[in-house]
Amino acid sequence: MTSIEIDPSRLSLVREESTYLALRTTQGGRTVYTTRVPLGDLSVILPLPDPAKPDPDNRKVDPVHAKGFGQYLADKPDWVAPTLLARDTGGCRFEPVSADGTVGYLTVPWALGGIARLITIDGQHRILGVHLEKKRITDEIARIDRDLLRTSNGTKKAKLEDERNLLLARMDRLKTEYVGLDIYVEMDGIRGQQMFVDVADNAKGISSAVRARFDTYRIANRTLGDVVEHPLLRGKVDIENDRMTARNRNLMGAKHVADLTRAVIAGPGGRISKKAEATLTDSEVIEQTKDFLNIISMAFTGLAAVTEEDIESYDPKLSEKPKNEVPVPPTKAMELRESSLLGSVGMLRVLAGVFKSLREDGVEDGDITEFFKRLDRHMAAPVADNSIWSTTNAKDDFELNASAPIMRTQNIVHLTGVITDWYRKPPAAI
């Protein structure tokens, strides 16, 4: 019998760990390993979150939010994401290679490799999102492969091949693009749970106002800097806060400006579609929004007063004075919120929707201005039981003594339709 030589080095054994280049430092008395891992490795070395079975050391994961991150990766080649945080319960091994012992090889156990696995502190939605995106790509490739076997049409085959190559490129990105991972060595489970609480407590959530200023993917946000230069808004927009409290001296927040822009472009309850985002130019959106602001500034006396007011009176530092100090004179915007429906961003969104609808019907801007002027005397707040908002088909969109319409989307959309119809068939009071 002929002898057979076997090379053991050619055989792959069962592997339950991965090795990365890492930096070893200290934080809060704990050893911390800092490394970067391929996106595709996340669900291998970190537990895959199950929305139906929350991790006792973490919060329940939202599958919709997780799927959204996967879609974000697919849609945005220039994606960005913060470092994930995990806890090492004793399974990691670090082999230093630098003289000072800070740089070395970090061997990390796989999530299914035993009890000494990593535990996620922050990043569950990113882990699940990448996993769902990998599964989506794999399923799509399998579907295309089946379709390729079934078709003999050359044109269709070429199209399917193009789709397949695009999906393979997306899968390759998950293997070749990296995200940061900080691993804290902490054996104590109680202290580990406290780490999660500390991270959550110390993270300052991003307000919608701040998001509106910096999220340049959406045209309503991207055009914000130009829109707020309109005289009605200049110096009177809160760039940090979403809520207009009684002491807030501004007319509205940055988020509300973006909401008005969306209402002008897509209606008060709508979103600007991806197709519209791709076809609209920034200048078109800015021009249309400023046209609306011009009209309401001329038509409504309360907004005209805000437009004409000295910007210096809106100094935000005045709002920070303690309540026991001598109160500073209120701004016109503060007075508007006290006495007029126009101090409500909801009402302004409705008017933006009316503006959009009438323009689409071919109504000239001058006629829209005159129509709004006829509504001006009906803008007093709170809403009285004998007002047009209580005695017409708008009554379902207001509560008695309210200073704003009901903010549910269906009410905002309904009220927009009601007021738009009034242009052609006004109630007797107008």
Side-chain angles (χ1 to χ4, degrees):
M1 181 177 179
T2 306
S3 62
I4 301 175
E5 292 187 5
I6 302 297
D7 181 2
S9 66
R10 300 291 300 276
L11 303 178
S12 60
L13 303 178
V14 175
R15 185 182 178 213
E16 296 182 343
E17 58 188 25
S18 297
T19 302
Y20 307 98
L21 189 64
L23 179 69
R24 179 172 61 181
T25 56
T26 302
Q27 184 184 104
R30 299 182 180 94
T31 296
V32 183
Y33 302 121
T34 298
T35 187
R36 295 189 68 82
V37 301
L39 286 166
D41 282 12
L42 290 180
S43 59
V44 176
I45 63 174
L46 291 162
L48 183 64
D50 184 347
K53 298 177 182 178
D55 189 322
D57 292 319
N58 214 315
R59 70 182 71 185
K60 183 177 181 180
V61 70
D62 179 356
V64 176
H65 182 52
K67 185 177 180 182
F69 180 73
Q71 189 63 49
Y72 167 70
L73 291 175
D75 293 342
K76 307 297 181 185
D78 57 346
W79 66 277
V80 61
T83 296
L84 286 80
L85 307 181
R87 179 165 70 92
D88 172 25
T89 58
C92 291
R93 302 191 311 275
F94 184 77
E95 180 185 343
V97 294
S98 64
D100 61 0
T102 60
V103 179
Y105 298 109
L106 178 69
T107 300
V108 180
W110 286 359
L112 300 178
I115 60 173
R117 62 185 176 89
L118 296 181
I119 295 175
T120 305
I121 298 173
D122 182 55
Q124 285 194 116
H125 290 93
R126 280 163 280 168
I127 298 166
L128 181 57
V130 172
H131 170 77
L132 293 175
E133 178 63 8
K134 286 168 63 178
K135 185 177 185 305
R136 183 191 71 81
I137 293 173
T138 302
D139 291 346
E140 281 292 297
I141 290 175
R143 177 190 62 79
I144 290 173
D145 287 343
R146 290 193 298 270
D147 290 346
L148 283 169
L149 289 173
R150 293 172 182 153
T151 185
S152 57
N153 184 298
T155 302
K156 186 175 181 180
K157 273 193 172 186
K159 184 178 179 181
L160 288 170
E161 288 286 359
D162 288 343
E163 291 179 15
R164 192 177 193 278
N165 290 334
L166 179 62
L167 290 168
L168 288 172
R170 286 184 173 179
M171 183 66 85
D172 188 58
R173 282 181 56 212
L174 298 181
K175 296 176 182 177
T176 58
E177 298 202 4
Y178 287 65
V179 68
L181 175 63
D182 281 353
I183 301 173
Y184 292 75
V185 179
E186 179 55 74
M187 307 293 290
D188 189 308
I190 300 299
R191 284 167 56 87
Q193 289 180 332
Q194 184 62 47
M195 291 174 68
F196 167 75
V197 174
D198 289 347
V199 168
D201 282 348
N202 288 307
K204 179 176 174 60
I206 182 173
S207 68
S208 298
V210 175
R211 183 184 299 277
R213 289 165 55 206
F214 296 118
D215 181 2
T216 59
Y217 287 128
R218 292 174 174 81
I219 198 167
N221 297 339
R222 193 167 63 244
T223 55
L224 188 66
D226 291 282
V227 172
V228 298
E229 286 302 308
H230 186 277
L232 174 62
L233 304 178
R234 189 187 305 128
K236 302 156 192 169
V237 174
D238 193 322
I239 62 174
E240 295 290 339
N241 300 300
D242 303 329
R243 294 180 65 247
M244 292 295 102
T245 62
R247 289 178 59 80
N248 195 311
R249 302 174 62 77
N250 294 284
L251 178 62
M252 63 184 72
K255 170 189 179 296
H256 305 135
V257 179
D259 288 342
L260 286 184
T261 301
R262 276 188 286 272
V264 167
I265 302 302
R271 295 172 177 267
I272 301 177
S273 67
K274 288 185 177 180
K275 182 178 179 180
E277 290 273 2
T279 56
L280 282 169
T281 65
D282 290 9
S283 59
E284 286 178 298
V285 172
I286 293 166
E287 181 181 1
Q288 290 183 49
T289 306
K290 286 190 172 182
D291 286 346
F292 166 69
L293 295 174
N294 286 336
I295 286 174
I296 62 175
S297 297
M298 292 186 289
F300 298 104
T301 54
L303 293 175
V306 172
T307 302
E308 295 167 3
E309 187 170 23
D310 181 7
I311 296 174
E312 291 183 2
S313 64
Y314 284 79
D315 183 354
K317 293 181 180 179
L318 295 174
S319 301
E320 300 169 4
K321 289 184 177 293
K323 292 183 179 180
N324 58 355
E325 286 193 13
V326 177
V328 295
T331 62
K332 295 299 182 183
M334 296 167 73
E335 293 175 352
L336 193 71
R337 280 197 293 275
E338 287 287 325
S339 61
S340 174
L341 295 175
L342 296 167
S344 153
V345 177
M347 194 66 193
L348 296 178
R349 281 174 55 197
V350 168
L351 293 174
V354 174
F355 165 79
K356 173 184 182 295
S357 297
L358 292 178
R359 260 199 169 183
E360 287 179 343
D361 290 343
V363 180
E364 298 290 336
D365 285 1
D367 293 330
I368 298 175
T369 304
E370 291 303 314
F371 173 55
F372 282 176
K373 283 182 178 179
R374 289 155 56 195
L375 294 176
D376 189 26
R377 66 189 182 90
H378 299 286
M379 290 295 171
V383 170
D385 57 4
N386 62 345
S387 73
I388 61 170
W389 313 114
S390 301
T391 59
T392 65
N393 49 349
K395 62 181 181 297
D396 292 334
D397 301 315
F398 288 87
E399 296 176 348
L400 189 61
N401 297 320
S403 295
I406 298 171
M407 293 299 291
R408 288 193 296 266
T409 300
Q410 59 264 40
N411 290 100
I412 295 294
V413 172
H414 178 262
L415 183 59
T416 298
V418 167
I419 298 176
T420 302
D421 291 341
W422 285 356
Y423 178 79
R424 306 292 186 192
K425 300 178 181 178
I430 297 180

